[in-house]
Amino acid sequence: MSLIGSPIPNTISSNKLMLNPSIVSSQHKPIAWPRRPPALAAVLSQDARTAATFDFKRYMEEKAAQVERALDASVPLREPRLVHEAMRYSLLAGGKRVRPILCLAACELVGGSEHAAMPSACAVEMVHTMSLILDDLPCMDNDHLRRGKPTNHKVFGESVAILAGDALLSFAFEHVAAATAGATPDRVVWAIAELGRSIGSEGLVGGQVADISSEGLAEVGLEQLEYIHVHKTAVLLEAAVVMGAIVGGAGEEAVERLRRFAQRVGLLFQVVDDILDVTKSSEELGKTAGKDVEADKTTYPKLLGLEKSREFAEELKREAYEQIAGFDEAKAAPLIALADYITYRNN
C-alpha cells in the first residue's frame, strides 16, 4: 500500500508517535496542535525577552565553526581517496548547520557538555548530507545546485555520489559509538537507536517515499503533507535535539519535552522551506528555486496559500516555545533564538 494513503495521528507526543503504524487512526484529521494556555503567556514573554538579549549571531558563528572543525577531523582525506573526496565535498560544503547546533544546544540545556554531544551532532549532519546527496540525484529531484555549488553527482558522477552517501550513513553510527565520551554506554546506545529510528522506512526514508508518491497527485491533502514533512524533515531535527539531551544526561520527562519542541521546530523548518521555494531566487537560496512548483509537488503554500502558511509557521514557533518553558532561561535562549531564526530565515 502506498505510504501516501497512510494517515497520521492528531498530536505528536511521544517517541513512538508518527513512527508506529499501530497507533495510526483511520479517521485522521490534520495535526491538532494544542493551544497555548493563558498562564503561559508571561513565561513565553520572558523567554522572548531573554532571546532578545542573546547574541545569536555570535553563538551561531562560534558553534558552526566548532562543528566545521569536528566534521573536518571526523572524515579525513584517506584511501580510497575518491569516495572520501566525495564525502568531504558535500559534508564540508557549508550550510547553516542548524541540526548539529540544535544537538549541542539541547545537550547544554540539560547540563551536559558540548564535548559529549559533538559526535552525535556530527553524525546527524552526516546523515543530513547523505540525504541531500541522494535527493539531488537524477532519479530523485534531479538538482544541479546545492549550497551554491554543483551537486555531488555533477562533480563525481552518480555511482560515486551514491557510494559517498552510503559511506556517510554508515560512518554516522560508527562515529557516535566510537567517539562519544562523557556519556554512559546505555545512553550512547539510546542515542544510536534514536538516530536509526529517524532514518529508516518509518522515518526519513518513509517521508521521502511518500513525497515521491505524491508528485502530481491532485488529491494530496493536508494530512498527507504533514506526514511527508514530519517524516522527511522534522524527524532528523528531532533526532538531533533528542540525541543531545540523551548524551547530556537528561531524564525521560525532559527528553520528551525536548522531543516535542523539536517536532514542532522540524515541521516549522519545512513550512518555511516551502515558503522560500516560491518567494526567493536561486541566488538567494543557494539552490534551485521553484523546483517544487516545477515538479508539481504538494506544499503548504499550494494548499494553504502564502499568508496562511506564514500564520501556521508562527503558530508552530509558539508551540515550540511552550515545550521549553520552565527550563533555565539563559540555557534555553539558544533554542528560542534558533526557533526564531528558522521562522524568519531567508535561505
Side-chain angles (χ1 to χ4, degrees):
M1 183 178 69
S2 172
L3 276 173
I4 206 62
S6 302
I8 55 175
N10 289 344
T11 58
I12 300 178
S13 59
S14 76
N15 61 329
K16 295 181 180 178
L17 214 53
M18 308 305 295
L19 296 172
N20 187 344
S22 67
I23 64 172
V24 174
S25 166
S26 61
Q27 301 299 317
H28 171 71
K29 296 180 180 179
I31 295 175
W33 303 99
R35 300 282 73 81
R36 179 173 69 258
L40 275 175
V43 176
L44 297 179
S45 177
Q46 178 59 48
D47 284 345
R49 288 194 296 271
T50 300
T53 62
F54 174 67
D55 191 344
F56 177 66
K57 184 175 185 292
R58 179 179 178 183
Y59 177 87
M60 289 292 287
E61 288 174 349
E62 290 178 352
K63 293 298 184 185
Q66 292 162 4
V67 169
E68 292 294 336
R69 289 193 292 271
L71 289 171
D72 186 26
S74 68
V75 185
L77 189 57
R78 56 180 182 263
E79 295 297 334
R81 191 177 183 89
L82 182 59
V83 72
H84 285 98
E85 285 178 350
M87 291 165 69
R88 287 172 58 84
Y89 176 81
S90 292
L91 186 64
L92 303 178
K96 296 172 285 290
R97 305 305 191 195
V98 169
R99 292 159 188 82
I101 294 173
L102 279 168
C103 183
L104 300 179
C107 181
E108 292 174 337
L109 173 64
V110 300
S113 70
E114 178 185 289
H115 177 68
M118 189 60 81
S120 291
C122 289
V124 169
E125 192 68 0
M126 291 173 194
V127 171
H128 176 55
T129 301
M130 173 275 296
S131 73
L132 299 181
I133 292 173
L134 298 187
D135 278 353
D136 292 335
L137 289 170
C139 63
M140 302 283 273
D141 289 348
N142 193 24
D143 215 329
H144 297 173
L145 190 66
R146 173 69 66 179
R147 292 171 176 167
K149 300 171 60 178
T151 48
N152 197 289
H153 70 275
K154 297 300 292 183
V155 177
F156 296 95
E158 291 180 41
S159 58
V160 173
I162 292 169
L163 292 171
D166 289 345
L168 284 168
L169 176 61
S170 61
F171 185 63
F173 290 93
E174 177 185 344
H175 193 58
V176 176
T180 303
T184 60
D186 61 322
R187 285 188 173 269
V188 175
V189 172
W190 186 5
I192 290 172
E194 286 287 340
L195 183 61
R197 182 187 64 81
S198 73
I199 300 167
S201 60
E202 295 180 332
L204 191 154
V205 170
Q208 182 67 48
V209 171
D211 190 23
I212 292 170
S213 301
S214 73
E215 291 181 14
L217 295 181
E219 67 271 21
V220 174
L222 186 59
E223 61 269 31
Q224 290 92 345
L225 184 61
E226 287 170 349
Y227 180 97
I228 292 168
H229 286 342
V230 166
H231 289 74
K232 184 180 176 182
T233 301
V235 72
L236 196 54
L237 277 90
E238 176 189 337
V241 171
V242 170
M243 290 172 74
I246 289 169
V247 298
E252 289 188 11
E253 181 182 354
V255 168
E256 291 311 309
R257 287 179 62 191
L258 286 168
R259 185 189 301 281
R260 292 190 292 270
F261 164 84
Q263 287 166 339
R264 285 151 175 82
V265 167
L267 186 54
L268 168 64
F269 193 95
Q270 186 60 56
V271 172
V272 173
D273 242 22
D274 284 358
I275 293 169
L276 292 174
D277 187 67
V278 296
T279 59
K280 298 295 180 179
S281 67
S282 298
E283 290 73 23
E284 290 172 305
L285 294 177
K287 59 182 180 180
T288 306
K291 63 179 183 180
D292 290 342
V293 174
E294 184 178 346
D296 197 23
K297 286 188 176 182
T298 302
T299 65
Y300 277 98
K302 182 177 179 179
L303 288 183
L304 301 178
L306 273 174
E307 190 56 36
K308 290 293 184 182
S309 296
R310 290 180 173 124
E311 290 175 8
F312 185 41
E314 288 288 345
E315 181 64 19
L316 288 170
K317 184 189 74 170
R318 290 193 294 268
E319 298 292 349
Y321 278 5
E322 289 180 19
Q323 301 306 318
I324 52 177
F327 282 103
D328 180 89
E329 292 172 5
K331 290 182 178 180
L335 292 178
I336 295 168
L338 275 162
D340 272 343
Y341 165 73
I342 288 170
T343 307
Y344 304 119
R345 65 195 168 95
N346 291 312
N347 56 34

